[in-house]
Amino acid sequence: MCGIVAYVGSRSAPSILMDGLKRLEYRGYDSSGIAVLDSDKAYVARAVGKVAALEQKVAADRPEGWTGIAHTRWATHGKPTEANAHPHADCAGRLLVVHNGIIENYQTLKRRLIAQGHTFRSETDTEVLAHLIERAYAGDLPAAVQRALQEVEGTFGIAVLHLAHPRQIVMARRGSPIVLGVGEGETLAASDVAALAQHTDQVVYLEDNEVATLSPGDFSITTLANQAVTRRATTIDFGRAAAERGDFPHFMLKEIFEQPEALENALRGRLNHAEAVAKLGGLEAVMDRLEQARHLIIVSCGTSYYAGLYARYVFETLTDLTVETELASEFRYRKLNLRQNTVVLAISQSGETADTLAALREAKRKGALTLGLVNVVGSSIARETHGGIYCHAGMEIGVASTKSFTSQLTLLALMALLLGRARDLSYEEGAAILRGLEKIPDQMREVLKQSPAIRQLAEKYSTAEHFLYIGRKYQYPIALEGALKLKEIAYIHAEAYAAGEMKHGPIALIDPSFPTLALVPEDPSYEKMVSNIQEIRARDGKIVAVTTEGNSKLRPMVDDTIFIPRNHEVLTPLLTVVPLQLFAYHCAVLRGCDVDQPRNLAKSVTVE
Ligand code: G6P
């Protein structure tokens, strides 16, 4: 979604801002813009399409300046045109604003401002902010921002420049993340720490309804109501190299191949073999309440939702909890009957997804114990929950989530093990899970070696316009995730079904042009899956099967087979998902799609 970068210091602002925008490209956007202050004038440029288009303009104009803001816009109000791209200016052209989020009462505010003589130049909701701040301004920019934002309903992360204050940037947030980066004689800010990591590891997260005033090497924070806030910088914990692609053609492929290492990081220090249990430090403080819990509700979106569906099976197998997995966007509008012993777990890579955050806040308000399974350290969900677990998957840049998903599955299995062992799961059953988990990274490495063979399969099948993905029990969420990957990056229509549901509808679609990807490891559902494969075969459907090494019985029934190593039934999804990620990736490349920045999608969805 939209991205913000701001810089005030002694280096050339345009190059730092453009570099920051490129590091935010992965979030998804459709236009971009920049504003740089140079003594008494502002340089402003905007462009539709990729950041490269803006970069060309900036390279031709060669602006100079040491204070500036920049933005990538993911269109909500008004098409992705140059006029609608940020920054937006006030009537006098002295004040410039970039904004993430949605101003819900913008129509009312706009009507009022027009009646008061303000002239609008765009169709955006953002532009009202420029005029509101202009109207509130009486020489003190942070005070004007505070006053203007009192009138606003909705969500915002903003950065504001004013010609009268050439060494100052004012930032504010409500519901849309803003993080400050403090360096030697320079201060940066961004909507995503990825844009700061090259410059500093000292960061400060802004909380909702706070306003920060940035000057070179310094900052101050107040609330919207002008209460002073004291907050120290904290050190971010991932390497600066994380955002580099290295020798991989795409971040997504790099991240697929990073999975064994990401899992090793997720497991490090968290296995207690002596007691066959997991050690999850972020849950220790709430362990008493967790031991009393009877009911677990998991809320999440997108790929994280599928991790939640997986969790339902794992928790039900390893614990005696009743588990519900719900899309956060639905959960937040349900009438919740939460009990004293209900736990709500939010799963989110970014920790900023608007629906997940809202669902969590609603659950917290109703008295539930709230937990987070989050990848981005210090993100809103991580900060607002009673307890939680970090994925430690490292920065994920590809819009289509891969290593975060497998880290989520790993930690969900560990969390279920922890709660199971606190109940009636036996030592032997617990130890079997731990042994299986330790094997996974190397087994994944084996699966990754099949990438060239999977590319050949993609060559054979990537012209198909429709796919069916099927699986049962633990493999059902993986079928959903595999189909999502194909839709997201290769723009191929793919449906995923619990295999038992096939005969209630999707089987009507099967013909020789409609291939099926069947997840058939040798587990207790195997024979049932074989029956489903036979049903497809009888209708001339093509089948690619993912099954366990050494299983040659499927060969005569299917067109192609991908083998995965043998492991515990609960953990096999960590292996079956890898060929599906690779298949989607190779199909997307063969079809000429933009793998890391798929059309219309955003990495972090911070609007409802
Ligand atoms: C977006 C991303 C997906 C992601 C979903 C949930 O749609 O494109 O890859 O699964 O948001 O994001 P979260 O950060 O909450 O896991």
Side-chain angles (χ1 to χ4, degrees), residues 301-304 348-350 353 399 401 488 602-603 605:
C301 304
T303 288
S304 297
S348 175
Q349 187 286 128
S350 61
T353 301
V399 165
S401 189
E488 280 180 312
K603 180 71 182 158
V605 178

Side-chain angles (χ1 to χ4, degrees), residues 27 93 168 253 367 499 503:
R27 296 170 61 91
Q168 194 180 69
L253 191 64
K503 51 193 168 296

Side-chain angles (χ1 to χ4, degrees), residues 1 26-27 299-306 347-354 356-357 373 375-376 381 396 398-402 404-405 408 481 484-485 488 598 601-606:
M1 289 240 140
Y26 78 97
R27 296 170 61 91
V299 290
S300 42
C301 304
T303 288
S304 297
Y305 171 64
Y306 299 145
I347 306 177
S348 175
Q349 187 286 128
S350 61
E352 301 292 351
T353 301
T356 311
L357 191 55
L373 172 55
N375 191 37
V376 176
I381 293 177
E396 189 176 72
V399 165
S401 189
T402 52
S404 291
F405 180 66
Q408 286 167 350
E481 171 61 6
L484 179 65
K485 291 280 96 71
E488 280 180 312
L601 295 180
K603 180 71 182 158
S604 177
V605 178
T606 47

Side-chain angles (χ1 to χ4, degrees), residues 2-47:
C2 303
I4 292 178
V5 196
Y7 177 82
V8 54
S10 48
R11 291 189 284 159
S12 159
S15 61
I16 290 174
L17 295 172
M18 290 310 301
D19 176 69
L21 286 189
K22 281 192 238 153
R23 289 176 194 278
L24 296 185
E25 280 195 285
Y26 78 97
R27 296 170 61 91
Y29 68 99
D30 32 45
S31 58
S32 60
I34 185 170
V36 177
L37 295 186
D38 176 10
S39 51
D40 58 345
K41 58 184 192 316
Y43 167 81
V44 179
R46 303 181 188 88

